[in-house]
Amino acid sequence: MSEQRVLVLGANGQLGKALRAEFPQAVFYSRAECDLAYIDQVQALPIDQFDVVINAAAYTTVDAAETLEGAALAEAVNTKAVEILSAASTEHGVLLVHVSTDYVFDGNQKIPYIETDEFNPLGVYAKTKAQGDLAVMTVPRHYLLRTSWVIGEGNNFVRTMASLAERGIKPSVVNDQIGRLTFTKDLAAAIRHLIESNSPYGTYNLSNEGPASSWADIAAKVFELTGHDPNKVTGVSTAEYFAGKEGIAPRPLWSMLDLSKIEAIGFTPENWETRLAEYLA
């Protein structure tokens, strides 16, 4: 692994920060070195100087993507930039590692999604990510990691709930969106495992192991683990939570991912409840 030349895009995001621990010798580009919203900057990337490119960058502001400006940014970063990266990786025989999302599915089924399930993205963000996935799938050497509910270093749902608990606020939290957390520690480790084990190229689901849970369940767990009353969390439906609000992107109600494919190649992610306790400690 040490002799492989690795470029990581999205260096300052939650996943980018976790990848620093797994790939200390890699070259890390933040938005300052390459802003994926600008086609010329993506085209100027020295892809041919690397063996592996890990794209940990994305436009993830789901609701803002429903605006004209946000939609243009989402398409530039999540679709057009990924198409350029895919073409360059193919041309130079580079391994492209790309991170995707459960949002490419509509969330209407009730069994965990497998890697080959059909896309049906609901919102603008989801559609731009799905288009990016299709581009990555054309690269002969690629790992596409489909993940959900990502938690790492930085602002995220868990940090928000812990802050509300500390301030004595009783939040209403959505209880009909079901999935599992994905901690960036495990996501970064999975990427390293795929590369180092020379696993078959293709798409792999990756979330943490553990029970199917709603955002309200997770919020209550955060309250409990930080020494507060979990009953202060009130569960509400997605429809109730967003009632009267405009410009809200549709969310998949079912985000459970089947992990059997990545576990079959020797990588088993930690239980999300265990990781959550570590994270909050």
Side-chain angles (χ1 to χ4, degrees):
M1 184 67 223
S2 57
E3 71 277 5
Q4 294 227 62
R5 301 164 299 170
V6 179
L7 172 65
V8 177
L9 304 173
N12 292 337
Q14 291 191 102
L15 176 57
K17 289 172 182 173
L19 286 165
R20 290 179 186 274
E22 296 292 341
F23 298 93
Q25 306 302 321
V27 174
F28 284 83
Y29 277 18
S30 68
R31 194 180 295 170
E33 287 79 36
C34 180
D35 189 335
L36 269 63
Y38 294 94
I39 300 299
D40 57 335
Q41 292 189 31
V42 184
Q43 290 172 329
L45 282 168
I47 301 293
D48 59 329
Q49 295 176 23
F50 295 92
D51 304 301
V52 181
V53 173
I54 302 173
N55 182 27
Y59 181 91
T60 58
T61 316
V62 175
D63 294 326
E66 298 296 312
T67 67
L68 277 175
E69 184 183 3
L73 272 172
E75 186 181 1
V77 175
N78 296 342
T79 301
K80 289 178 180 173
V82 178
E83 288 172 351
I84 294 166
L85 286 174
S86 298
S89 297
T90 298
E91 180 185 351
H92 299 293
V94 170
L95 170 58
L96 178 62
V97 182
H98 181 74
V99 181
S100 183
T101 170
D102 62 287
Y103 271 68
V104 300
F105 304 122
D106 58 20
N108 285 337
Q109 69 180 41
K110 285 291 169 269
I111 57 170
Y113 282 99
I114 61 171
E115 286 79 358
T116 53
D117 279 332
E118 197 170 332
F119 291 175
N120 189 26
L122 300 176
V124 174
Y125 159 77
K127 288 170 184 171
T128 62
K129 288 295 290 183
Q131 288 298 316
D133 283 13
L134 294 174
V136 173
M137 289 174 184
T138 68
V139 181
R141 302 176 63 227
H142 76 270
Y143 294 125
L144 178 65
L145 280 99
R146 186 157 295 124
T147 190
S148 65
W149 301 15
V150 175
I151 304 293
E153 185 186 331
N155 295 325
N156 57 56
F157 177 81
V158 171
R159 290 269 179 244
T160 299
M161 290 303 120
S163 173
L164 295 180
E166 291 298 328
R167 288 183 282 150
I169 296 170
K170 300 177 180 179
S172 295
V173 184
V174 169
N175 63 4
D176 60 351
Q177 293 175 33
I178 306 298
R180 286 187 290 219
L181 296 178
T182 306
F183 284 86
T184 54
K185 178 176 184 176
D186 295 275
L187 184 51
I191 289 171
R192 183 178 171 190
H193 179 87
L194 284 164
I195 295 169
E196 290 192 344
S197 63
N198 292 313
S199 294
Y201 301 125
T203 303
Y204 292 84
N205 289 338
L206 194 286
S207 71
N208 281 89
E209 275 283 12
S213 302
S214 70
W215 287 115
D217 294 331
I218 293 165
K221 196 77 180 169
V222 172
F223 269 63
E224 180 189 328
L225 288 166
T226 54
H228 299 88
D229 182 3
N231 293 314
K232 288 183 176 177
V233 176
T234 301
V236 295
S237 71
T238 301
E240 289 172 306
Y241 185 82
F242 289 118
K245 298 176 184 173
E246 293 186 359
I248 300 299
R251 267 85 166 154
L253 296 182
W254 179 259
S255 297
M256 290 291 290
L257 301 172
D258 185 291
L259 303 178
S260 52
K261 183 176 177 183
I262 201 157
E263 290 179 348
I265 56 126
F267 186 86
T268 301
E270 182 58 82
N271 183 293
W272 70 260
E273 292 174 300
T274 302
R275 278 282 183 257
L276 182 62
E278 290 175 4
Y279 185 80
L280 290 168

